[in-house]
């Protein structure tokens, strides 16, 4: 199918969020189109804006798209849905590689002496990563990739033989995401020692639940405000842990590139201590949930 024939018309893209009385199939575009437009806008901004915020916004918008496609997974072709979610992950990773350098620079900046010594090479590495991120996103043609994905999924859902009530559908999908989160919380909290992989799995599952609640809260049965508040606590504490771990891994993976730029061993020692401290704090929060 030609690209032009698969575009969603302006009226569909500007549709307002669906009510609970709609079918899940007919409501999909009202949820997906604004997210696609937002991701395209942020991808365009990255081509002109070198700030950390531009990349951060693009990565979040792609993660939200990935979560929405997960939510509608039961109604979409399984293979196509998996490939689309992997594409969103790939694009988010492309943006994230530069964002990881931004986070490391922010952490190192807490020590003025070390920051002064390392800043030139950190900024150089960040610039190289940004160039790669931009090239990857440009070559991917994000705008048309996302528009095609929206058109394809919308057509598939709009031509489906069966219809599922929206409220019933989103209640089931949010419940499934919450079960997955609770399973990961139990696994992480039962570990004898704080386990980063298990904690990271909690963070990812929590993000998915949070995004789904933000998407569907107006049509969900019952109130989910307490759950959303708890998730924000998890994300904040687990997010700081992830920043430390990502920075530690980035330094380890670029020792040669940063050689001679300062006392890297001292930075790694500080990051290791921070990782252990923040892992204990994250595990402690889980025990309170």
């Amino acid at each position: 199918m030609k690209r032009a024939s698969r575009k969603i018309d302006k009226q569909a893209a500007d549709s307002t969020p669906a009510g609970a009385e709609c079918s899940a199939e007919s409501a999909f575009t009202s949820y997906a189109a604004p997210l696609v437009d937002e991701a395209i806008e942020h991808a365009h901004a990255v081509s002109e804006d070198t700030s950390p915020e531009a990349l951060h916004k693009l990565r979040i918008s792609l993660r939200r798209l990935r979560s929405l496609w997960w939510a509608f997974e039961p109604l979409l072709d399984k293979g196509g849905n998996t490939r689309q979610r992997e594409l969103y992950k790939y694009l988010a990773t492309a943006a994230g590689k530069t964002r990881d350098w931004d986070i490391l620079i922010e952490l190192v900046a807490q020590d003025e002496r070390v920051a002064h010594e390392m800043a030139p090479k950190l900024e150089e590495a960040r610039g190289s990563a940004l160039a790669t991120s931009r090239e990857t996103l440009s070559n991917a043609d994000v705008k048309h990739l996302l528009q095609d994905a929206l058109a394809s999924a919308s057509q598939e859902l709009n031509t489906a033989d069966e219809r599922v009530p929206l409220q019933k559908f989103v209640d089931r999908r949010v419940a499934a995401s919450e079960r997955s989160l609770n399973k990961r919380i139990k696994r992480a909290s039962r570990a004898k020692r704080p386990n980063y992989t298990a904690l990271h799995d909690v963070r990812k599952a929590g993000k998915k639940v949070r995004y789904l609640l933000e998407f569907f809260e107006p049509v969900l049965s019952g109130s989910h405000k307490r759950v959303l508040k708890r998730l924000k606590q998890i994300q904040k504490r687990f997010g700081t842990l992830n920043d430390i771990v990502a920075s530690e891994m980035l330094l380890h993976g670029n020792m040669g590139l940063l050689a001679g730029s300062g006392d890297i061993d001292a930075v790694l020692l500080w990051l290791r201590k921070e990782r252990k401290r923040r892992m204990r704090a994250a595990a402690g929060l889980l025990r309170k949930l």
Side-chain angles (χ1 to χ4, degrees):
M1 180 180 295
K2 291 183 179 180
R3 187 174 278 170
S5 65
R6 295 172 63 183
K7 288 183 180 179
I8 295 296
D9 61 36
K10 182 66 175 175
Q11 184 177 2
D14 288 342
S15 57
T16 56
E21 69 279 1
C22 296
S23 70
E25 291 83 357
S26 64
F28 172 78
T29 301
S30 68
Y31 289 112
L35 295 182
V36 166
D37 289 343
E38 182 181 273
I40 291 171
E41 180 182 343
H42 292 321
H44 177 70
V46 167
S47 67
E48 300 177 351
D49 186 352
T50 63
S51 70
E53 190 64 21
L55 288 157
H56 185 53
K57 287 180 178 179
L58 174 59
R59 188 160 62 163
I60 290 176
S61 66
L62 290 165
R63 285 173 174 170
R64 284 165 59 82
L65 276 171
R66 193 164 182 245
S67 294
L68 184 69
W69 253 253
W70 177 88
F72 280 85
E73 181 180 30
L75 305 180
L76 293 166
D77 172 72
K78 184 176 181 180
N81 181 277
T82 299
R83 287 190 296 273
Q84 196 58 45
R85 285 163 54 207
E86 285 302 310
L87 173 62
Y88 296 147
K89 182 179 181 180
Y90 168 76
L91 295 174
T93 300
K97 288 181 179 179
T98 304
R99 175 62 180 163
D100 287 344
W101 284 104
D102 289 327
I103 292 169
L104 176 57
I105 290 170
E106 290 173 8
L107 289 172
V108 170
Q110 295 179 35
D111 187 320
E112 291 185 7
R113 179 186 62 80
V114 174
H116 177 73
E117 293 174 346
M118 296 185 68
K121 286 199 173 182
L122 286 177
E123 290 293 345
E124 181 181 347
R126 197 263 183 188
S128 178
L130 176 61
T132 301
S133 294
R134 282 175 160 176
E135 182 179 6
T136 300
L137 295 168
S138 176
N139 291 340
D141 194 359
V142 174
K143 178 179 179 179
H144 291 106
L145 274 177
L146 299 187
Q147 288 178 337
D148 286 356
L150 173 60
S152 179
S154 297
Q155 182 180 30
E156 182 181 350
L157 291 169
N158 288 332
T159 57
D161 294 332
E162 298 181 5
R163 289 287 184 269
V164 182
L166 177 60
Q167 186 177 72
K168 179 180 179 181
F169 178 76
V170 298
D171 279 345
R172 286 204 309 253
R173 295 307 285 160
V174 168
S177 69
E178 288 178 339
R179 286 195 299 272
S180 178
L181 172 61
N182 290 334
K183 180 179 179 181
R184 282 159 177 74
I185 287 176
K186 288 181 180 179
R187 183 182 301 162
S189 60
R190 288 174 180 173
K192 293 182 179 179
R193 291 183 177 180
N195 180 288
Y196 175 70
T197 300
L199 293 171
H200 189 53
D201 286 343
V202 171
R203 179 173 179 257
K204 291 189 294 184
K207 277 189 176 183
K208 183 181 292 181
V209 174
R210 182 180 174 183
Y211 291 152
L212 264 58
L213 289 177
E214 290 172 349
F215 295 151
F216 304 130
E217 188 174 21
V219 296
L220 285 171
S221 299
S223 173
H224 293 261
K225 289 183 179 180
R226 289 184 63 186
V227 175
L228 192 55
K229 182 178 180 181
R230 185 173 65 172
L231 287 173
K232 288 180 179 179
Q233 291 178 321
I234 290 177
Q235 292 306 118
K236 183 176 180 180
R237 189 167 299 187
F238 282 51
T240 55
L241 167 61
N242 186 68
D243 288 349
I244 293 293
V245 174
S247 295
E248 190 177 10
M249 292 175 62
L250 195 60
L251 267 185
H252 274 299
N254 291 276
M255 295 289 282
L257 180 66
L258 299 173
S261 63
D263 194 348
I264 297 178
D265 289 338
V267 177
L268 285 171
L269 177 61
W270 178 77
L271 288 171
R272 184 163 61 250
K273 290 180 179 179
E274 279 295 292
R275 167 169 49 85
K276 292 179 179 179
R277 183 178 72 82
R278 292 174 190 258
M279 282 178 64
R280 289 194 297 269
L285 176 62
L286 292 185
R287 289 191 291 269
K288 296 177 182 178
L289 296 179

